[in-house]
Amino acid sequence: MNEPAVFDVDGTLCFDGRTVSTDILEALRALRSVRPLVFASARPIRDLYPVLPEDLRKEALIGGNGAFVQRRGGGIDVVGFAPSERALVDALIEATGCAYLIDGEWNYSYTGEADHRIYRQLDAGALASTVSRAELGTYSKVVLFTEDEAVRERLRSAGLTVTHHPAEGLIDIAPSGISKHAALVKLQLCGDGYAAFGNDANDVDLLRHADASFCVGQHELLSFADHHLEPDDVAPAILGLARG
């Protein structure tokens, strides 16, 4: 099998939170003829579907920074927080009163602002229901709208995967051991190497393990990437991979 090409979505392929441009889609389809494609996002797979056209939704998908895995043409595997991890998240929410987005296996609970970027992208396809967090059978991905460093350290000390996004005033939390790269290993697609495109802190491991790494935009944590691209460079870079 040819080495796969793995793509973050928001800020890498999608720049308005809703669509992928025609030139990038055409480049992805050209690349698909020579390499398997994987889309790896912080969004749950539910929220990837409205962004990707129907034919690309059938490719391997990684959602929730690795908590959700859809094999090509197959069902979705979901990793949830351990009971003790869920209890810690609940305790921190109660103690701090911070707003949150919690994704379960499919439905979600949200108490953040209606004008936040995350809310505008939340369940755009109207595929799920918003419920109370008590109604979620499992927590698979959590966003806490807080800048409290003590909260971040408490979560990290419990072994959870924590990504801080200071520009948006939030922290992104995944179950212990979960990352985009770990999910790619689970898919058994990276044994012979892969190319990866990303733009943010949650792409660090994905790009660091890639044979060819592409950073879109500027992010200090991705300064090690082999290639640095502006948005207009993304489609040509994908076509370059397609042409070998």
Side-chain angles (χ1 to χ4, degrees), residues 50-222:
V51 178
L52 298 172
E54 187 172 355
D55 62 314
L56 295 181
R57 293 175 207 164
K58 298 175 183 178
E59 302 298 327
L61 303 178
I62 294 169
N65 290 326
F68 303 85
V69 173
Q70 174 184 292
R71 298 179 188 279
R72 191 175 189 277
I76 299 173
D77 297 329
V78 183
V79 177
F81 284 58
S84 61
E85 296 171 340
R86 175 172 178 159
L88 173 61
V89 169
D90 285 337
L92 290 171
I93 289 172
E94 295 297 331
T96 64
C98 66
Y100 57 82
L101 166 62
I102 303 175
D103 283 298
E105 292 189 353
W106 193 256
N107 295 327
Y108 62 94
S109 184
Y110 183 77
T111 65
E113 299 293 332
D115 60 353
H116 197 281
R117 173 193 63 80
I118 281 182
Y119 183 75
R120 296 196 300 270
Q121 297 173 187
L122 185 59
D123 195 25
L127 301 174
S129 298
T130 178
V131 300
S132 70
R133 56 190 164 98
E135 294 177 86
L136 294 172
T138 187
Y139 292 178
S140 294
K141 180 176 179 290
V142 175
V143 172
L144 299 182
F145 296 89
T146 178
E147 284 287 296
D148 191 331
E149 183 177 355
V151 170
R152 298 198 301 272
E153 291 308 310
R154 182 69 186 89
L155 292 163
R156 287 192 179 107
S157 68
L160 290 162
T161 301
V162 180
T163 306
H164 181 209
H165 297 278
E168 298 180 89
L170 60 85
I171 54 176
D172 210 324
I173 311 157
S176 178
I178 292 299
S179 69
K180 292 181 181 181
H181 179 256
L184 191 63
V185 172
K186 183 177 181 179
L187 284 167
Q188 299 181 323
L189 288 176
C190 60
D192 296 324
Y194 63 94
F197 289 67
N199 79 307
D200 210 341
N202 56 7
D203 299 313
V204 170
D205 281 353
L206 185 67
L207 268 63
R208 195 173 292 282
H209 288 89
D211 292 297
S213 54
F214 298 78
C215 173
V216 181
Q218 304 295 322
H219 198 295
E220 60 182 3
L221 293 180
L222 299 176

